[in-house]
Amino acid sequence: GVKDGSWTVLQLVEALGSCLENTDPRMRGRGIQLLSQVLLQCYSQLQEKEVLHLVLFYESRLQDHHLVIPSVLQGLRALSMCEVLAPGLAVSVLKAIFQEVHVQSLLQLDRHTVYSIITNFMGTREEELKGLGADFTFGFIQVMDGEKDPRNLLVAFQIVRDLIAKNYALGPFVEELFEVTSCYFPIDFTPPPNDPHGIQREDLILSLRAVLASTPQFAEFLLPLLIEKMDSDLQSAKLDSLQTLTACCAIYGQKELQEFLPSLWSSLRREVFQTASEKVEAECLAALHALSACLSRSVLSSDTEDLLDSFLSSILQDCRHHLCEPDMKLVWPSAKLLQAAAGASLRAYHRVTHSVLPLLLEQYTKHPQSSQRRTILEMLLGFLELQQKWGHVEEDESTLLSLHGPVCSVVFSALTDPSVQLQLVGIRALTVLGSLQGFLSPSDLELVVDHLIRLTLHEEDSQSSEAAMETAGSLSPIYPKVFSGRMVPRLEEELQAEREEESSRDHCSLRQRCLQALAAVSTHTSIVRETVPVLLQHLRKVQKGSEAGSTQDLVSVCQSLHRVALQCQQDAESCWYYHQTVVPCLLAMAVQAAMQESTQPLLGKALLEEEVLAAMIPVISAATAHLSPELAAQSVSHVVPLFLDGEVSFLPQNSFPCSFQPFEDGECLEAQRRLVALLMAFVCSLPRNVAVPQQERLLRELLALSCSCNCPFTATTAAKCFAGLVNKHPAGQQLDEILQLAVNRMEPGLAEGPRRTQALTLLLWVTKALVLRYHPLSSHLTDKLLGLLSDAELGPAAADGFSLLMAESQDVLHKGCHADVRIMFRQRFFTDNVPKLVQGFHGAGPDVKANYLKGLSHVLNHLPKPVLVTELPTLLSLLLEALSCSDRVVQLSTLSCLQPLLLEAPQIMSLHVDTLVTKFLSLTSSPTMAVRIAALRCAHALTSLPTTVLLPYKARVIRALAKPLDDKKRLVRKEAVAARGEWFLLGSPGR
């Protein structure tokens, strides 16, 4: 009635009159409860006058019997949300609560109501409450004092934060407010199991920390408390104290910290020197960093002491001498403390490095042993890395610049040391020095490049060589002129040099390193313009040669070109230069080789090897995927006519002995047809908004080639290319027609004839293309694939096809080449097809049951684990049956599916523990090494099931796992040791 306006609240009060004035407090309580419930629903409709009368009524009732108070508070909560509350009423209500209600004697819910009333008034009547002055703060302190419930504490802590953040008067009650909140520090709360409120210990810790670190006024009370708790035996108390100190430093100044700095430093030093906990050490270093930053921020006047300087002096005094003992325990803790303090500000950095860097350089010279030098250089490196935070080196203040000569000398000497570990630290130091703007002189840079070339090409240890390449890659974009002018020509020279005196293996390794180094430094447009022609020149040279290892050499060059392509993708200029230089060149060389193969079968053969073409695919794909639509359209207008019409005019050196017709019939054109792999790499990587010229004709040619070609490599690449184009093709009549044409070609091909395998390959790739984009025809094609599982000839291959459908494809149909991939296609495929697989398995003959199990295990293996866990109860019996299958692929796939489920769904798996133990132990004797390893990993994972379930099997498993300890394969023995060890420890104390 009140809601629809037929009753007013005052009429309701009159109607409840006898109830509200009843002598029985229970009856009065029920009357007020009803009124309060109405107000909670209708408070927004109340008039100002009504609110005034209700407030006065409710205030008077706060003096009533304790049974009535909860309902009175609910009514006041409703009134505290009224926008028409007259000025002065909020103060009046709170005064009445503070005066008449002993809040901590109420139940949790009623205490929460009081906090809600205060919160509501603070949100809407801030100025009125501030008029109460410190009385409001004192009243709240009385309300909160003794609160124990975590739900209420979160609200109370928020109120205290608002009191401080909104500048309410704390008056003489700062210490009382601190005491009433700090009594909970450090938080010791463990949520009960199945807690419906979801309050975690971390929520309370962060909420209390926000209170304690909210005002410098708490400093004189809080800092002694933190120092005391740092000395606690409880690690959680130490961590909480350190994190709170770090938070406080953000708002404190010198004045708050001054008195406590010696005690704080003493506690932090002791913890870092003595702790065995990495967490405690990390928090100590963070706190020291925060203290140093806080002191660095303070503005100094002429008559105040520089606290930062005296604080850092204490740290240097206690830590510096330990740096002279590189073999002793305290060397690293001391270095970490100094670095934490120095990293806080440029001023702190200059103060610390001025004392420490000369000492470290002196110690490096004094200690001749490589292990000691490595420790010293690693400490030096830590200080050098801190300089990176401030970028360029300032001449007037920098200790580092004044020590330029000795620092370079130490780093360069480390690069020529016989110790690989010292070399590696030297290489890291070189990276840092190079990144410091203005530190290295032109002559230094030339020396740096010479060292990098020597380490990259001639250092025996591959770790040093790889690290030097990485450093070259980091420094080349900073100094492109030096690297393009000095390093690239040297690498080119090494690459071209014919080394008759070296063994071919050494020469091959040197060539590999040269190629990798050329790719590593190709990080800037100016360098890319130097390195790409060198790599392409080498590719031509290798293709013309006829040495035995030329296939591997071609693959190596392609791998280097691929790396360069990836590094060019972020820069539009480099990307287009790379594309228009590399793609036509690769196509020209491949076309030339294919034509020579047609006319002179022995020439250019290596470039047409599957392995080499497969290495060229990612090069062309990466060079195309990041082109702008305009440039991609320009390029596609040349490449597609090359394959459809033999239009070779855009290729460099385009005088070919015969025409290029990869889609024509004829045995002599087999080599040309293989180059469809390069067409696939190009057109399937184009952005989706780039139109492919003559697309319908191209699709028909690819379809015909995929069904008619005898070469499996060519047929597969044609099928993949067709699928890649279909996946991106806009929906509509044209797509429907081309798909119908494909179905019409596939169905007879699958039914009979010599090319059933090619038809199956096409079916798989087209199905994948359509499954990814949720095309309606995908379900028809998947049903066709399910039907083939019972085929004696194609069944095993069709089963493996489910892996192709679910797995991430490497060269086409992935997001990197702009394919249309819907976000949950695997889950959808699972929902639509797993019931059919299960049904097919139960109805299949014994000779083809394994195909259904293999298909199912492939689907489950690629499914996100959380989805799999929810479906586990219905599928587990089938998975267990799959373990008895004799097909090793089925066994392996099922084991790799079960292993994570043992860890993620132990309760469900426990129900089948007897079968699991038996199956896993029998498979540890499989003739296939991979199956033995997977079975042992599953036996290991079994130990995550509840101990009570496993104990009856402990002796049996330990006995059975003794046999694989003597396996002839080391990897099997390693897994057996790990699994048996866990079973031995099963049920022991502390496990």
Side-chain angles (χ1 to χ4, degrees):
V2 173
K3 271 189 170 177
D4 65 20
S6 57
W7 281 66
T8 67
V9 173
L10 295 181
Q11 285 173 317
L12 176 62
V13 173
E14 284 171 24
L16 285 169
S18 60
C19 191
L20 298 176
E21 292 168 1
N22 197 296
T23 53
D24 181 357
R26 284 184 180 76
M27 185 56 77
R28 288 202 305 280
R30 288 177 65 190
I32 293 175
Q33 183 183 14
L34 175 59
L35 178 60
S36 296
Q37 286 172 340
V38 170
L39 291 178
L40 281 167
Q41 293 200 41
C42 307
Y43 64 86
S44 59
Q45 295 166 250
L46 297 177
Q47 304 299 315
E48 187 174 334
K49 195 173 179 184
E50 291 174 318
V51 174
L52 175 62
H53 289 302
L54 287 165
V55 167
L56 295 173
F57 166 72
Y58 271 104
E59 278 183 14
S60 67
R61 291 297 175 166
L62 284 172
Q63 300 169 6
D64 204 334
H65 193 278
H66 68 87
L67 290 172
V68 177
I69 299 299
S71 300
V72 175
L73 291 171
Q74 287 295 346
L76 287 171
R77 182 164 76 89
L79 294 170
S80 73
M81 294 187 278
C82 289
E83 290 181 12
V84 294
L85 195 73
L89 288 183
V91 170
S92 173
V93 168
L94 288 179
K95 276 184 173 177
I97 290 174
F98 294 159
Q99 201 167 331
E100 304 297 342
V101 184
H102 184 252
V103 175
Q104 287 307 316
S105 64
L106 300 173
L107 294 173
Q108 180 270 328
L109 183 61
D110 304 326
R111 300 198 305 276
H112 194 278
T113 305
V114 175
Y115 296 126
S116 299
I117 294 167
I118 296 172
T119 303
N120 293 340
F121 282 148
M122 287 178 76
T124 58
R125 310 281 158 168
E126 185 178 322
E127 291 310 315
E128 287 180 43
L129 300 193
K130 284 183 176 177
L132 270 173
D135 289 351
F136 175 55
T137 305
F138 181 66
F140 173 72
I141 290 170
Q142 287 180 306
V143 166
M144 183 187 172
D145 195 6
E147 181 59 69
K148 289 186 175 60
D149 191 278
R151 291 162 288 182
N152 291 349
L153 282 173
L154 283 177
V155 186
F157 290 156
Q158 182 60 52
I159 292 171
V160 181
R161 274 156 59 191
D162 290 342
L163 278 174
I164 293 164
K166 295 179 179 176
N167 295 316
Y168 282 77
L170 305 186
F173 304 117
V174 173
E175 187 171 1
E176 284 78 0
L177 187 61
F178 174 76
E179 292 296 339
V180 86
T181 48
S182 65
C183 61
Y184 302 101
F185 183 85
I187 294 286
D188 182 21
F189 166 70
T190 306
N194 308 317
D195 177 19
H197 309 294
I199 294 174
Q200 297 297 317
R201 181 168 172 269
E202 193 64 19
D203 301 331
L204 288 164
I205 287 173
L206 295 174
S207 191
L208 176 57
R209 184 176 302 151
V211 170
L212 297 177
S214 61
T215 173
Q217 294 179 74
F218 284 167
E220 61 180 302
F221 316 114
L222 178 58
L223 291 173
L225 176 66
L226 295 180
I227 291 166
E228 178 195 329
K229 298 299 180 187
M230 275 187 225
D231 299 346
S232 163
D233 292 334
L234 279 174
Q235 180 171 310
S236 58
K238 284 183 194 291
L239 292 171
D240 202 351
S241 303
L242 291 162
Q243 287 163 353
T244 305
L245 174 60
T246 303
C248 289
C249 287
I251 62 156
Y252 286 4
Q254 284 204 157
K255 183 162 64 79
E256 287 77 24
L257 291 172
Q258 184 164 9
E259 183 187 337
F260 303 100
L261 281 175
S263 305
L264 287 167
W265 164 238
S266 175
S267 296
L268 292 172
R269 182 190 63 215
R270 186 191 59 251
E271 287 303 324
V272 174
F273 279 0
Q274 295 176 7
T275 186
S277 161
E278 287 183 15
K279 279 186 183 173
V280 172
E281 182 188 87
E283 292 301 341
C284 282
L285 296 174
L288 181 60
H289 182 278
L291 280 170
S292 182
C294 178
L295 297 174
S296 301
R297 281 196 306 273
S298 301
V299 179
L300 298 175
S301 57
S302 56
D303 57 340
T304 54
E305 180 194 354
D306 183 354
L307 275 190
L308 176 67
D309 192 64
S310 55
F311 183 60
L312 294 175
S313 295
S314 305
I315 298 172
L316 284 163
Q317 187 179 339
D318 291 345
C319 296
R320 190 175 181 272
H321 60 278
H322 292 301
L323 304 184
C324 304
E325 302 159 343
D327 295 329
M328 304 302 279
K329 193 177 96 171
L330 293 180
V331 64
W332 270 115
S334 299
K336 287 176 183 175
L337 285 165
L338 287 164
Q339 285 164 9
S345 69
L346 195 52
R347 192 152 67 97
Y349 179 75
H350 287 321
R351 175 72 182 86
V352 174
T353 52
H354 182 72
S355 172
V356 169
L357 289 189
L359 177 72
L360 289 174
L361 293 168
E362 180 192 322
Q363 292 302 312
Y364 186 90
T365 316
K366 268 189 186 175
H367 292 84
Q369 282 186 20
S370 295
S371 60
Q372 295 170 326
R373 287 188 158 193
R374 178 189 166 196
T375 303
I376 295 163
L377 187 55
E378 281 189 316
M379 290 191 286
L380 181 67
L381 176 60
F383 287 102
L384 294 177
E385 284 170 340
L386 291 177
Q387 175 74 56
Q388 285 180 297
K389 287 171 67 173
W390 294 285
H392 68 286
V393 187
E394 292 178 19
E395 286 185 34
D396 52 345
E397 290 187 65
S398 175
T399 308
L400 192 56
L401 214 55
S402 66
L403 297 170
H404 169 272
V407 169
C408 288
S409 169
V410 161
V411 173
F412 291 151
S413 81
L415 298 177
T416 53
D417 195 272
S419 161
V420 173
Q421 296 308 313
L422 181 52
Q423 276 182 23
L424 290 171
V425 182
I427 293 168
R428 280 166 52 208
L430 202 58
T431 312
V432 175
L433 290 181
S435 68
L436 297 177
Q437 190 184 336
F439 185 78
L440 294 174
S441 67
S443 59
D444 291 333
L445 283 169
E446 288 183 4
L447 201 51
V448 166
V449 170
D450 292 345
H451 277 298
L452 290 175
I453 293 169
R454 177 183 56 76
L455 289 164
T456 299
L457 301 183
H458 306 298
E459 177 55 49
E460 281 182 29
D461 187 89
S462 61
Q463 271 183 295
S464 292
S465 173
E466 285 163 17
M469 269 186 225
E470 204 176 314
T471 293
S474 303
L475 298 182
S476 55
I478 306 172
Y479 308 104
K481 279 188 179 176
V482 182
F483 277 85
S484 60
R486 193 171 183 89
M487 191 163 188
V488 175
R490 288 276 295 280
L491 292 171
E492 182 180 8
E493 204 178 288
E494 290 284 356
L495 200 57
Q496 290 173 349
E498 293 295 340
R499 297 175 180 273
E500 291 168 17
E501 73 280 4
E502 290 185 29
S503 70
S504 62
R505 187 174 171 184
D506 287 346
H507 188 199
C508 185
S509 167
L510 183 65
R511 267 205 306 256
Q512 286 271 60
R513 286 187 177 188
C514 282
L515 294 170
Q516 288 167 356
L518 282 165
V521 298
S522 302
T523 53
H524 187 276
T525 309
S526 64
I527 306 176
V528 170
R529 288 175 181 274
E530 301 290 333
T531 55
V532 165
V534 173
L535 289 168
L536 292 176
Q537 182 58 40
H538 185 66
L539 192 66
R540 291 192 196 94
K541 178 184 166 188
V542 176
Q543 184 205 1
K544 284 174 186 167
S546 54
E547 46 212 272
S550 59
T551 300
Q552 186 49 50
D553 264 0
L554 290 169
V555 170
S556 297
V557 183
C558 289
Q559 286 169 344
S560 287
L561 283 168
H562 181 229
R563 180 171 175 182
V564 178
L566 295 176
Q567 289 165 186
C568 288
Q569 284 179 343
Q570 304 311 314
D571 179 71
E573 186 191 341
S574 298
C575 192
W576 177 236
Y577 165 77
Y578 183 92
H579 181 88
Q580 62 179 354
T581 309
V582 173
V583 173
C585 180
L586 291 184
L587 289 172
M589 289 169 69
V591 169
Q592 180 81 37
M595 289 179 177
Q596 284 176 341
E597 178 75 3
S598 309
T599 54
Q600 303 161 281
L602 289 176
L603 282 173
K605 179 95 173 162
L607 202 65
L608 303 173
E609 298 271 352
E610 278 180 35
E611 199 184 340
V612 178
L613 288 172
M616 290 167 82
I617 289 169
V619 178
I620 293 174
S621 180
T624 308
H626 286 254
L627 287 180
S628 67
E630 301 76 32
L631 295 174
Q634 191 180 324
S635 194
V636 75
S637 66
H638 295 308
V639 175
V640 171
L642 167 68
F643 281 85
L644 287 178
D645 307 314
E647 181 54 67
V648 296
S649 57
F650 82 103
L651 298 178
Q653 299 150 356
N654 53 18
S655 54
F656 300 116
C658 58
S659 55
F660 182 58
Q661 301 167 311
F663 290 115
E664 296 295 321
D665 292 334
E667 264 185 53
C668 63
L669 298 175
E670 181 56 53
Q672 294 189 17
R673 283 196 281 273
R674 293 168 81 82
L675 301 195
V676 169
L678 305 184
L679 172 68
M680 172 198 80
F682 178 81
V683 294
C684 293
S685 302
L686 291 167
R688 250 187 277 177
N689 55 355
V690 174
V692 177
Q694 306 182 67
Q695 186 164 2
E696 308 311 311
R697 179 185 161 198
L698 179 60
L699 284 165
R700 287 166 193 272
E701 295 284 16
L702 289 165
L703 183 61
L705 184 60
S706 67
C707 295
S708 61
C709 183
N710 291 322
C711 167
F713 176 78
T714 304
T716 302
T717 50
K720 285 159 81 170
C721 190
F722 180 82
L725 289 169
V726 160
N727 172 264
K728 295 182 194 177
H729 200 298
Q733 188 185 347
Q734 281 186 326
L735 178 62
D736 296 341
E737 284 174 7
I738 203 77
L739 287 173
Q740 191 54 54
L741 192 64
V743 171
N744 295 345
R745 290 294 291 263
M746 280 188 280
E747 286 184 342
L750 287 166
E752 57 185 4
R755 297 199 177 91
R756 294 185 76 201
T757 307
Q758 283 94 318
L760 173 61
T761 302
L762 179 63
L763 171 66
L764 286 170
W765 282 103
V766 174
T767 306
K768 184 175 177 77
L770 300 182
V771 163
L772 291 179
R773 65 180 276 179
Y774 291 176
H775 191 281
L777 186 63
S778 62
S779 55
H780 169 71
L781 296 182
T782 310
D783 289 344
K784 180 86 49 197
L785 187 61
L786 287 162
L788 289 172
L789 291 173
S790 56
D791 185 288
E793 182 192 349
L794 293 181
D800 284 330
F802 281 91
S803 175
L804 186 149
L805 295 182
M806 297 292 282
E808 193 74 35
S809 175
Q810 294 303 307
D811 40 15
V812 292
L813 298 178
H814 60 86
K815 286 186 176 177
C817 63
H818 312 289
D820 185 354
V821 181
R822 299 301 167 89
I823 192 165
M824 293 176 78
F825 79 90
R826 290 185 178 88
Q827 287 89 318
R828 182 168 173 163
F829 188 86
F830 171 85
T831 309
D832 291 348
N833 297 295
V834 164
K836 297 176 188 174
L837 275 168
V838 173
Q839 187 184 349
F841 169 79
H842 291 308
D847 51 335
V848 292
K849 270 187 182 291
N851 296 337
Y852 288 90
L853 287 175
K854 190 191 285 190
L856 177 68
S857 62
H858 283 315
V859 174
L860 298 183
N861 238 328
H862 290 96
L863 200 63
K865 290 300 174 274
V867 180
L868 187 50
V869 168
T870 57
E871 301 292 337
L872 191 56
T874 54
L875 295 169
L876 191 53
S877 57
L878 209 56
L879 284 169
L880 294 173
E881 199 164 336
L883 290 176
S884 306
C885 175
S886 57
D887 187 312
R888 68 180 180 82
V889 177
V890 176
Q891 290 174 349
L892 198 55
S893 194
T894 309
L895 287 167
S896 61
C897 186
L898 284 171
Q899 187 194 345
L901 294 175
L902 288 162
L903 305 171
E904 291 173 36
Q907 298 308 321
I908 300 169
M909 303 299 268
S910 297
L911 304 174
H912 301 268
V913 67
D914 193 70
T915 314
L916 289 166
V917 168
T918 306
K919 302 273 190 194
F920 293 159
L921 292 181
S922 75
L923 288 172
T924 58
S925 313
S926 162
T928 308
M929 182 181 88
V931 173
R932 296 201 299 279
I933 288 174
L936 286 164
R937 284 179 181 161
C938 285
H940 189 163
L942 272 175
T943 58
S944 63
L945 302 189
T947 304
T948 49
V949 175
L950 296 175
L951 281 175
Y953 302 93
K954 181 175 177 178
R956 175 184 160 196
V957 173
I958 288 171
R959 268 199 314 277
L961 292 180
K963 186 186 171 193
L965 291 175
D966 294 327
D967 197 281
K968 60 181 184 289
K969 294 292 185 182
R970 183 182 62 82
L971 292 175
V972 177
R973 296 196 299 273
K974 181 182 166 191
E975 294 296 340
V977 167
R980 198 162 183 257
E982 279 300 315
W983 276 91
F984 261 119
L985 293 169
L986 198 70
S988 57
R991 298 293 292 175

